[in-house]
Amino acid sequence: MDNFVVSARKYRPLEFDSVVGQSHITDTLEHAIENNQLAQALLFCGPRGVGKTTCARILARKINEKFGETDENDFAFNIFELDAASNNSVDDIRNLIEQVRYAPQVGKYKVYIIDEVHMLSNAAFNAFLKTLEEPPAHAIFILATTEKQKIIPTILSRCQIYDFKRIEVIDIKEHLQKIAIKEKINYEEDALHIIAQKADGGLRDALSIFDRLVTFTQKNLTLSAVTENLSILDYDCFFRITDMALNNDIPNLLLVFNEIEKKGFDPQSFIASLGSHFRDLMVAQNPQTISLLEVGESTKKKYIEQAQVCKPKFLINAIEICHQADINYRSSKNPRLSIEIALMQLASITTHEFTSSKKKSLE
Ligand SMILES: Nc1ncnc2c1ncn2[C@@H]1O[C@H](COP(=O)(O)OP(=O)(O)O)[C@@H](O)[C@H]1O
Ligand SMILES: [Mg+2]
């Protein structure tokens, strides 16, 4: 059997072109290299698993390529990587600073990548600061961190700062799709969508969830297997709840909620997700806003269908009711009841409409 390589490792981009969702950064870096406008110290900040280390390595390689070093082995000599998470002592930094003083034997630059730089001890930070203040002309520093707020201002002010973004659900989904095709994995688009949503903007997380589910489903990523494994309430559940609310079906709403709670779902996340569902129906009502709906194609059809049987007034009320319940949940002495009240209110929106229009006609 082949050795299994996790997708995050196997699919680490080697070129800026294949970095997903950070073109504001990769374009700028590419441009800066081309025009010799690269700063001597760069700081890559952003959430975990969005491409900071990946881009640091690509950039380091590009710098070496651009300035005459083409032999893989030789330019490996000119790239130094320090993981500050495990090498954060003042001695570690001193060793590094010691190396910085010497010009490269081949090529023009030595590139130092200091990953997780916020983990450096105070003493290490201070030792490093002097080097950063007056770096030798041949040194380029690429620092990376998930916690920009922990970096002291004196360091920040000496660096050109690049803010990496969370990656959009749709971009993550497309990336997973490419990998699924390459790896000959069966998938339903909506299943990939759910994984992308669950990853909350982190591509590394998306890939590790993906790997886990590929194993669990034996290479058959269906929507139902994925929602079950991730303990996510599937879209269908929210479609059914909406139907119940439209039909003023209080008893079944309470029963469904009871089931959901028994399965271990957090009631507050449930009501918040229900609110998002109504919001999604709202944007699905209008072709102009349909692009704001972040779901796969087959689920999109269902949204458009259900949106047609909901009046905008119903949806606005429903969103408001869920939103309030979400806000009130923590402060309520009986939080479960606050969700039940919300469900009863949801089931009464259309009765209310009916009685008030009847009242009007009687008047
Ligand atoms: N923007 C991205 N484009 C493509 N792959 C990515 C991206 N961000 C993360 N990855 C994937 O996740 C892995 C870890 O990314 P990494 O650059 O180490 O994240 P960070 O340093 O921001 O925590 C990479 O090997 C790659 O497979
Ligand atoms: Mg990293």
Side-chain angles (χ1 to χ4, degrees):
M1 209 176 96
D2 293 346
N3 274 344
F4 179 72
V5 181
V6 297
S7 296
R9 176 105 48 93
K10 186 165 175 187
Y11 292 98
R12 188 190 280 282
L14 296 173
E15 293 296 335
F16 282 136
D17 283 353
S18 34
V19 173
V20 177
Q22 308 290 5
S23 58
H24 64 298
I25 285 175
T26 51
D27 290 352
T28 313
L29 290 175
E30 206 130 33
H31 196 251
I33 294 184
E34 230 153 73
N35 299 300
N36 288 336
Q37 289 166 338
L38 213 57
Q40 271 194 284
L42 303 90
L43 178 65
F44 291 180
C45 327
R48 59 201 205 95
V50 298
K52 299 181 298 299
T53 304
T54 303
C55 286
R57 289 185 185 161
I58 298 174
L59 179 64
R61 211 188 66 232
K62 295 262 167 212
I63 292 169
N64 274 283
E65 279 172 358
K66 159 97 183 180
F67 296 98
E69 202 38 71
T70 45
D71 183 315
E72 288 267 346
N73 287 325
D74 281 347
F75 73 58
F77 279 128
N78 285 343
I79 300 175
F80 303 82
E81 212 171 309
L82 180 86
D83 181 7
S86 42
N87 309 284
N88 57 4
S89 73
V90 68
D91 283 341
D92 292 318
I93 275 291
R94 285 210 180 108
N95 283 340
L96 185 131
I97 294 169
E98 193 57 32
Q99 296 175 14
V100 172
R101 292 198 290 151
Y102 304 106
Q105 296 192 332
V106 280
K108 192 171 167 194
Y109 289 109
K110 281 173 151 184
V111 184
Y112 295 84
I113 299 173
I114 306 183
D115 218 340
E116 308 297 343
V117 67
H118 62 275
M119 303 282 273
L120 288 180
S121 66
N122 265 345
F125 253 131
N126 287 331
F128 182 49
L129 200 55
K130 291 201 192 82
T131 308
L132 207 54
E133 260 169 353
E134 286 172 22
H138 59 258
I140 293 180
F141 294 96
I142 309 173
L143 317 180
T145 182
T146 45
E147 319 223 4
K148 187 168 148 192
Q149 77 284 358
K150 287 195 185 157
I151 309 290
I152 51 176
T154 32
I155 293 221
L156 286 180
S157 66
R158 286 182 177 82
C159 294
Q160 205 169 59
I161 296 175
Y162 292 84
D163 288 304
F164 284 65
K165 294 188 302 187
R166 277 179 208 289
I167 299 162
E168 308 263 340
V169 173
I170 186 78
D171 292 337
I172 297 186
K173 193 200 101 183
E174 278 170 9
H175 191 64
L176 294 179
Q177 198 164 359
K178 277 187 203 147
I179 294 177
I181 292 169
K182 265 194 208 139
E183 300 284 331
K184 299 196 171 52
I185 287 159
N186 266 329
Y187 64 90
E188 287 177 8
E189 242 182 88
D190 280 319
L192 299 184
H193 217 100
I194 292 280
I195 298 174
Q197 275 174 339
K198 182 82 176 176
D200 195 24
L203 206 45
R204 188 200 292 115
D205 284 357
L207 291 172
S208 53
I209 299 172
F210 175 85
D211 283 351
R212 197 177 84 214
L213 290 172
V214 165
T215 312
F216 173 77
T217 63
Q218 299 184 328
K219 299 197 173 188
N220 187 18
L221 296 173
T222 60
L223 178 61
S224 67
V226 168
T227 46
E228 187 196 323
N229 186 270
L230 294 180
S231 309
I232 286 176
L233 287 169
D234 59 4
Y235 297 114
D236 279 336
C237 167
F238 293 114
F239 285 120
R240 275 188 292 125
I241 290 179
T242 306
D243 284 334
M244 289 173 195
L246 287 168
N247 293 323
N248 318 119
D249 189 351
I250 293 180
N252 271 319
L253 275 177
L254 296 180
L255 289 173
V256 166
F257 172 54
N258 192 47
E259 282 303 307
I260 290 170
E261 217 194 0
K262 266 208 296 206
K263 281 189 199 155
F265 289 102
D266 167 47
Q268 190 179 11
S269 318
F270 159 70
I271 203 71
S273 305
L274 184 57
S276 304
H277 176 76
F278 291 125
R279 174 270 183 200
D280 287 345
L281 285 170
M282 188 65 131
V283 301
Q285 280 200 321
N286 194 320
Q288 269 178 304
T289 47
I290 193 83
S291 61
L292 300 177
L293 186 62
E294 291 196 335
V295 298
E297 281 309 315
S298 69
T299 305
K300 191 184 271 183
K301 279 201 196 98
K302 290 190 197 165
Y303 269 102
I304 293 172
E305 231 169 78
Q306 189 166 64
Q308 277 165 4
V309 298
C310 300
K311 291 192 178 141
K313 189 103 185 291
F314 167 80
L315 293 175
I316 293 170
N317 277 331
I319 293 168
E320 182 62 30
I321 289 167
C322 294
H323 184 58
Q324 269 310 320
D326 179 17
I327 292 172
N328 296 342
Y329 188 82
R330 294 254 167 251
S331 55
S332 169
K333 287 224 165 60
N334 188 349
R336 190 176 197 283
L337 183 65
S338 65
I339 305 292
E340 290 185 333
I341 294 172
L343 292 171
M344 293 183 241
Q345 287 173 331
L346 288 171
S348 312
I349 302 174
T350 56
T351 12
H352 188 67
E353 241 170 46
F354 172 68
T355 42
S356 55
S357 63
K358 204 158 72 175
K359 237 196 269 164
K360 253 190 211 135
S361 64
L362 287 177
E363 276 165 10

